Amino acid sequence: MNYFFLYQTLKAQFSSGAATHSPDGSAFGFYTHEFHSRSQSPFSGGITSPFDVELTNSTENNNFTYPIFHPVKDKQSDGCIILLHGLNERSWEKYLPWGYQLANYTRKTVILFPIAYHMNRSPKSWCDPRQMTSFVKERQLIVPEVRNLSVANVALSERLSRHPERFLLSGYQAANDLLDLVASIKAGEHRFIQKDAQVDFFAYSIGSFLSQILFMANGDKELANSRLFIFCGGSVFEHWQGVSKFIMDSRAFERLHEYYNNRTDFNNTEVSDVINHTALGQSFVDMLSTKNLKKRGAVYYSALKDRITTVVLKNDTVAIAGKVKQTLKGMRVDEWDLNYNYSHIMPFPLLSNKLVTQVNDAFDKLMLRASLLFTT
């Protein structure tokens, strides 16, 4: 499969809202599905910037649609894969070939689910360079020493710098949304998926962090039979390197680590309530550091090691391969070094030169590796 051609084809169909068909012409459904979040983000800080949408208008975050690839014409599939994206992502375009090929290889329905305040759950202005330019200039004046600030990350950087508690609270909402989604599928309430279907996860980058917390908190309950494929992720919070023009600037990264690393108490009531009174909150604390994780280690690894597979990239500077192996010691972690220039943000660059074959091969290798977990 030509990755560049697949990307361009799916992007055009996604943008137009047309039904998606595979490049060989066979029927292959692309749909969107409505979702209404019952787990409102409890953040209640005062308005401090134009990015405090929780306090002005949360309609986009709480009522939204998600894309679906459905490969089984005119009938429900007997399983589904929920695909989770990376931090500060505002477009599904990168993931369209991923979702398509997973559905194609596994014949399962693939759901591309947005994390709270990401993708179409966030204002369109946040990914508009013209509208974000003035905020970049203002932030540079206030924090002149800031590194890796850009029009792409200024919204998230401002939000996390001012209120780092959002990292947990937004993740908590997303986790509860995912549990609600799983419950609705199991109850037979999803039009494309059979009742009591197998529900698995393909998680990339920060989506893997969210998934690990979900599996630690609910791996013996709602997700008792679920499997998780991790790509470019898997380490504890203290080992993530999130400073990037595409993720967050250096000041936001520093604030997050100041707030969460080596903390036993939190000065925000909502954060304290989640951490002290929910299984998801406790699992979040466990995933903050290697020290914390060791307390959970034996039970965590023995219960989940046969249901989690991880692929990391040797030159990834965000999810460091060695740190992922340290976190997932005892689990299956494959380290790959692709034979072309790649990055955490763009593991499969859009090329039309002589390296296109290498990109095609790497993409197919990853999708086949994930599909093997989901079909055996």
Side-chain angles (χ1 to χ4, degrees), residues 170-188:
S170 296
Y172 181 65
Q173 181 179 13
N176 280 302
D177 290 343
L178 287 164
L179 292 174
D180 283 347
L181 175 62
V182 171
S184 69
I185 292 170
K186 296 287 188 181

Side-chain angles (χ1 to χ4, degrees), residues 46-62:
I47 296 176
T48 58
S49 85
F51 300 115
D52 291 338
V53 293
E54 298 95 330
L55 303 174
T56 55
N57 184 3
S58 291
T59 301
E60 292 163 309
N61 180 57
N62 297 327

Side-chain angles (χ1 to χ4, degrees), residues 124-359:
K124 292 181 179 179
S125 61
W126 289 4
C127 56
D128 185 336
R130 288 180 296 180
Q131 295 192 56
M132 292 298 104
T133 297
S134 61
F135 294 109
V136 169
K137 293 178 179 178
E138 181 180 349
R139 186 165 173 80
Q140 285 174 326
L141 290 174
I142 297 173
V143 192
E145 72 280 8
V146 70
R147 294 176 288 106
N148 290 92
L149 172 64
S150 71
V151 292
N153 71 22
V154 65
L156 182 71
S157 297
E158 274 284 316
R159 283 171 57 77
L160 294 182
S161 294
R162 293 177 181 272
H163 298 287
E165 57 269 31
R166 282 182 167 124
F167 183 74
L168 167 64
L169 297 178
S170 296
Y172 181 65
Q173 181 179 13
N176 280 302
D177 290 343
L178 287 164
L179 292 174
D180 283 347
L181 175 62
V182 171
S184 69
I185 292 170
K186 296 287 188 181
E189 298 171 356
H190 203 290
R191 59 177 288 203
F192 297 114
I193 307 167
Q194 293 178 12
K195 182 179 180 180
D196 294 322
Q198 174 78 27
V199 180
D200 297 317
F201 291 78
F202 181 105
Y204 161 79
S205 191
I206 204 65
S208 65
F209 185 74
L210 173 59
S211 297
Q212 286 167 280
I213 292 168
L214 270 171
F215 272 67
M216 290 176 69
N218 299 86
D220 59 347
K221 303 180 184 73
E222 292 90 339
L223 305 180
N225 298 312
S226 297
R227 294 161 292 192
L228 168 62
F229 187 88
I230 293 173
F231 179 48
C232 290
S235 69
V236 291
F237 177 77
E238 67 176 347
H239 292 152
W240 279 95
Q241 299 298 318
V243 179
S244 163
K245 290 184 177 181
F246 299 98
I247 304 176
M248 72 181 78
D249 65 30
S250 58
R251 182 54 184 146
F253 184 76
E254 290 163 3
R255 284 285 290 130
L256 275 185
H257 280 266
E258 288 170 1
Y259 191 80
Y260 291 107
N261 281 352
N262 302 315
R263 293 287 295 270
T264 57
D265 63 316
F266 295 89
N267 57 5
N268 178 280
T269 301
E270 291 87 353
V271 169
S272 295
D273 286 345
V274 171
I275 286 175
N276 294 324
H277 302 297
T278 71
L280 286 168
Q282 186 54 60
S283 293
F284 174 82
V285 172
D286 292 338
M287 281 296 297
L288 286 177
S289 68
T290 302
K291 179 181 177 181
N292 290 2
L293 188 60
K294 284 182 178 178
K295 300 174 184 177
R296 176 76 72 99
V299 175
Y300 174 51
Y301 294 141
S302 62
L304 301 176
K305 66 178 182 180
D306 295 328
R307 293 193 278 140
I308 297 179
T309 296
T310 302
V311 170
V312 292
L313 300 181
K314 181 179 180 180
N315 295 332
D316 192 334
T317 58
V318 176
I320 311 301
K323 299 299 185 181
V324 173
K325 291 179 181 179
Q326 181 180 337
T327 298
L328 298 177
K329 186 177 180 181
M331 295 190 180
R332 174 72 182 270
V333 180
D334 295 338
E335 181 180 339
W336 295 359
D337 188 17
L338 308 179
N339 56 353
Y340 53 83
N341 288 329
Y342 61 87
S343 67
H344 177 88
I345 303 299
M346 192 58 68
F348 309 113
L350 299 171
L351 303 176
S352 56
N353 58 24
K354 62 182 181 180
L355 292 176
V356 68
T357 300
Q358 285 91 320
V359 175

Side-chain angles (χ1 to χ4, degrees), residues 3 6 81 83 95-106 202 229 231 311 336 348 360-375:
Y3 181 78
L6 181 61
I81 300 165
L83 190 154
Y95 299 98
L96 297 178
W98 304 19
Y100 171 87
Q101 202 68 309
L102 282 173
N104 187 34
Y105 283 160
T106 65
F202 181 105
F229 187 88
F231 179 48
V311 170
W336 295 359
F348 309 113
N360 294 342
D361 290 346
F363 174 66
D364 271 340
K365 180 182 177 182
L366 183 76
M367 293 298 113
L368 287 168
R369 184 70 189 84
S371 298
L372 181 65
L373 174 69
F374 298 138
T375 56

